[in-house]
Amino acid sequence: MDGLPVIEVTDLWHCYQPNAWVLSNINLSINRGEFVALVGQNGSGKTTLVKHFNGILKPVRGSVKLDQRDTREVAFKEVALLVGYAYQNPDHQIFNLTVQEELAFGPRNLGLPPAEVAARVDRVLATIGLSGLQTEYPFALSRGQRQKIAVGAILTMNPPVMIIDEPTTGLDWQGSLAMMDLVKELHDQGQTIIMITHDMRIVATYAHRVIVMAQGQILADGTPRELFAQPELLARAAVQAPQTTRIGQQLAEWGMPSDLLTVQEAIEHFQLLLAKAT
């Protein structure tokens, strides 16, 4: 993370109908290289907010800047080069007849030379673990594989910022971990990740920063450990901390920390308590 803001939101308000505000008074800065999770119940404004990041929506009031440039003054094609958006349901995004054509669609429409398009497709296929499936019909593949294709279709455009909406929806836990390990690898390579999710286990395991939304406003902004240790705050947003955190809070009188994030942390603290008791 280089500390430079890639997204700056200032006094953002948005409505789909006059005076029915979906977002109000949003102020936010996201730096290059961050891994940010947006959480909150359905209707809290998460998706409306991130659609301002890639230019799908424009502010009714306030401003959104990408690399210091106001989104109202930047062509959509230019925004697409900076911010990629993988939708919650990959089946709403995929439309080509082969995996290769799906991955090639974006860079081809950016006007890249055929050799560069082919090189990007091959590189991304290896990254997402689907090499050898170039000619497969996407809808004949598993949900997890289609999710990877949706992410891959964004990766071939090589945007420095990726928005991933509910990347683990419809996946079992192993599939969720496989998808999130891919996202983590992209982050480790320097991409800025903005993730919308309802799965707090995923947030606890992967995100570095959490933005909690409620009723179109930012309720809290901090690390997973800071926010999950505040059950009253989370309740206001209808968000529940991971089960591991809640167990630690229930056992606080026995010496368990109230800000546990992972099962491994819980095991280590249980072992310490047992060692003290013997």
Side-chain angles (χ1 to χ4, degrees):
M1 186 171 67
D2 63 16
L4 297 177
V6 66
I7 297 173
E8 294 178 274
V9 181
T10 304
D11 195 24
L12 174 63
W13 294 65
H14 192 84
C15 60
Y16 296 103
Q17 298 178 354
N19 297 317
W21 298 109
V22 179
L23 297 177
S24 58
N25 195 34
I26 301 290
N27 290 278
L28 175 66
S29 179
I30 295 176
N31 292 338
R32 288 187 179 276
E34 286 199 273
F35 194 135
V36 180
L38 275 175
V39 305
Q41 66 182 140
N42 291 336
S44 62
K46 303 184 301 296
T47 299
T48 297
L49 176 59
V50 298
K51 284 183 176 179
H52 283 82
F53 297 169
N54 70 342
I56 292 178
L57 295 177
K58 307 294 184 184
V60 174
R61 296 182 189 171
S63 67
V64 176
K65 292 182 178 180
L66 304 177
D67 268 354
Q68 312 300 316
R69 301 176 65 190
D70 194 306
T71 56
R72 287 171 292 201
E73 301 170 358
V74 182
F76 188 75
K77 181 177 180 180
E78 292 182 69
V79 175
L81 290 171
L82 181 62
V83 181
Y85 193 138
Y87 288 87
Q88 175 177 350
N89 188 339
D91 298 346
H92 293 167
Q93 180 176 330
I94 296 169
F95 62 93
N96 283 286
L97 295 178
T98 68
V99 173
Q100 181 171 346
E101 286 301 305
E102 187 66 33
L103 298 187
F105 181 82
R108 187 177 293 150
N109 278 273
L110 293 176
L112 297 179
E116 174 63 17
V117 173
R120 288 193 182 195
V121 169
D122 288 343
R123 185 166 61 247
V124 168
L125 280 169
T127 298
I128 63 177
L130 296 183
S131 296
L133 299 180
Q134 296 95 313
T135 60
E136 294 293 322
Y137 179 52
F139 291 102
L141 302 177
S142 70
R143 171 62 185 253
Q145 289 172 317
R146 297 199 304 278
Q147 199 86 352
K148 289 182 176 181
I149 292 169
V151 172
I154 304 302
L155 287 179
T156 53
M157 298 173 69
N158 198 29
V161 179
M162 283 198 65
I163 299 170
I164 307 178
D165 194 343
E166 296 287 1
T168 59
T169 297
L171 303 179
D172 60 20
W173 183 238
Q174 287 304 116
S176 296
L177 292 179
M179 171 54 63
M180 290 309 304
D181 285 345
L182 168 60
V183 175
K184 180 181 183 299
E185 181 180 346
L186 298 176
H187 177 254
D188 290 343
Q189 293 171 0
Q191 283 192 296
T192 304
I193 303 295
I194 301 170
M195 173 180 67
I196 297 174
T197 184
H198 286 91
D199 193 329
M200 296 305 113
R201 294 175 301 172
I202 292 296
V203 173
T205 304
Y206 293 95
H208 298 171
R209 175 183 174 190
V210 185
I211 297 170
V212 182
M213 296 193 66
Q215 299 180 328
Q217 297 182 315
I218 293 177
L219 189 61
D221 184 347
T223 67
R225 197 175 301 279
E226 290 169 343
L227 297 182
F228 288 151
Q230 303 179 61
E232 293 182 1
L233 182 148
L234 295 178
R236 290 167 57 194
V239 171
Q240 195 172 53
Q243 187 176 39
T244 301
T245 307
R246 287 181 277 129
I247 289 173
Q249 291 166 353
Q250 291 170 3
L251 297 178
E253 63 180 290
W254 298 96
M256 289 293 286
S258 62
D259 61 354
L260 289 174
L261 291 182
T262 67
V263 172
Q264 183 59 40
E265 286 183 5
I267 292 172
E268 291 172 358
H269 282 284
F270 269 124
Q271 290 174 336
L272 288 173
L273 292 176
L274 287 173
K276 290 179 180 179
T278 58

